[in-house]
Amino acid sequence: MSYARSVPDQSPSLSASRQKTLVMAIFLCAAFFFQLRFYMSPHVMNLFVTYTDTGGAIYEKLHFGTIGIFLLLPFALASRPFVLQGSDIALFRSLLLFSCLMVVLIFYLGAVGRSGSVGFIIDTYVMAGCACMIMLTLPPDMRRLLGDITLVFLVASAVIGFGEAIMQVRLLPYPPIRDVFRPIGLTGHPLTLGAMSATGIGFVAATRWPLWMRLLAIFTLHIGSAISTARTAFVLASVELLLLLLFTRWPKLSKRTERRAKSIVLLLLIPLSIVLIVVLAGAGFLERFRGGIVDDSFMARVTIYRVFEYFSWSQIMMGVHIDDLMFVVNKKLGLEFIESAPVVLTMLFGLPAAIVFTVALVRLFSRLIRGAAGSAQLGAAVFVIASLSNNTFTEKTSVVAMIFVLLIAYRRPSPLMPSSISAGLSVPTPATRTPGSAATGGKPRIGRT
């Protein structure tokens, strides 16, 4: 049965105004939920629910920001038409496929009795895929603005970390007690503060901020990587700065003039770097470098691979329960934590499933990084290197989603890609995709020390 319209059709201008309002609402919700997920640490979550503590209901194991992102995605997809053009189509397809694969992995682990290991898959990888799909429903200018907001909080985290290091008091709760005070800023761990400060340098260079603002932000992030006492992150941040200086193009200068200018800046940076290192060392921020690179922390990352000696090939192929793994780690190897993503993935998922997971993650990451600006690619490379030295890829963390969001925010613009809010209002063409249409273009406790 059908009914005749009793209300006249809305005018085009009114319809466009309504769609602009929807786009703005999605943007504001995305900005809030993204930053809530990125910067509300697990220790803060534990003040409200049993997020990482033992016990608690299933829904308490999901971050508030993750829940918000899950609820926002269907609204972002179905509330109004949106346009995908060029490489966005293939990227959206890859994100959807990756998220579906993660859901299949969750069901598999539940079927084999290891449902306790799925928490980080949902709260890290499924959440990251959903956040990126929300990003793609927004116009490029809004995507970039979301990236800018994320970087502003990242710089603020480095500033807060510096204040914590000076006052020897943390702003946010951090239960672990260490012999040496280590600031955390707005993150949940000193290593995260260091790694994300180093990573943010490359992304800040990709922004359209005024030059003085970019230089100030980069300097702040470099200091943030130093005061975090994360040795790998500080070294990577220093190398990253050198590479940015040598290989980033300076606009409005000829190649010859650019080479001369870079040589002068490099000569000035050498004595300034020496002074900075002396000041940081005098303030006690480089204490962890005094014991060299090969210390107990380094050896723990090597010793952990002996865990395979205590399990049979069938257990390695099929995976084991987290409690069995941690028993071997704690009692047999004498280690408190697992500082190795390959060990965790192999022993929890089983070798075949771990390989499938790794291939899927590498394929998605390579597609994201391929379209990003050069300095953003450098920042992403720093993140991967820093994260492989610990268990970032195998814990409930927001940094994976943060990197994905930043890579989308600072992608190189496509010639066909609209660059304003009108992108969210365009009428679909044969080269675009809208929700429901076919594509026609382009093919536990595993802590850290």
Side-chain angles (χ1 to χ4, degrees), residues 311-331:
F311 293 99
S312 65
W313 268 107
S314 61
Q315 290 175 307
I316 294 174
M317 295 299 291
M318 298 303 297
V320 298
H321 194 275
I322 182 62
D323 292 338
D324 298 331
L325 176 61
M326 292 308 299
F327 175 81
V328 171
V329 172
N330 298 150
K331 304 299 182 181

Side-chain angles (χ1 to χ4, degrees), residues 11 30 32 37 60 70 98 143 161 192 205 207 223 228 279 281 308 315 326 373 418 420 426:
S11 65
F32 175 76
R37 182 63 186 93
E60 293 183 286
F70 286 165
F98 177 79
R143 301 177 195 173
T192 305
T207 65
I223 296 298
S228 69
V279 171
F308 295 112
Q315 290 175 307
M326 292 308 299
S420 67
S426 302

Side-chain angles (χ1 to χ4, degrees), residues 41 43 174 178 182-184 187-194 447-449:
S41 72
H43 306 304
Y174 182 65
R178 305 295 179 187
R182 301 170 69 181
I184 61 172
T187 67
H189 196 279
L191 292 183
T192 305
L193 174 61
R448 295 192 281 179
T449 60

Side-chain angles (χ1 to χ4, degrees), residues 8-21:
D9 290 339
Q10 292 181 324
S11 65
S13 61
L14 183 59
S15 177
S17 176
R18 177 178 177 274
Q19 292 191 45
K20 285 183 179 180
T21 302

Side-chain angles (χ1 to χ4, degrees), residues 59-77:
Y59 64 85
E60 293 183 286
K61 301 304 178 181
L62 290 181
H63 196 283
F64 295 154
T66 297
I67 296 173
I69 290 170
F70 286 165
L71 294 176
L72 181 59
L73 178 61
F75 179 76
L77 293 175

